[in-house]
Amino acid sequence: MCTHTPKCPTAHSSDREAAHVVAAHPEQGWSLLCNGLLLFEDTGELLPDGRVIAPRRPFVATA
């Protein structure tokens, strides 16, 4: 799907979120990257093969 030079990381690479955005819908909370990854604003991801990557929420320390 990627036509950029250099090529964007694949959807299965550890740096997959660095791919170019091809469609952004911030009002709906998601973006489609050129590697086929759906990236959600809560940091969840949907891979092109249908597998889900759970959101990674930052640890918040309580005082």
Side-chain angles (χ1 to χ4, degrees), residues 4 7 10 18 34 37 40 45 55:
H4 304 100
K7 293 272 189 201
T10 68
C34 71
L37 181 76
F40 297 95
E45 301 171 3

Side-chain angles (χ1 to χ4, degrees), residues 10-57:
T10 68
H12 300 289
S13 299
S14 61
D15 60 345
R16 63 183 157 262
E17 295 171 7
H20 289 260
V21 174
V22 294
H25 292 277
E27 72 282 358
Q28 295 177 357
W30 62 271
S31 296
L32 174 64
L33 305 184
C34 71
N35 58 7
L37 181 76
L38 272 174
L39 180 61
F40 297 95
E41 69 179 15
D42 69 352
T43 70
E45 301 171 3
L46 181 61
L47 297 174
D49 62 8
R51 288 188 294 145
V52 173
I53 309 260
R56 297 173 308 281
R57 303 201 192 290

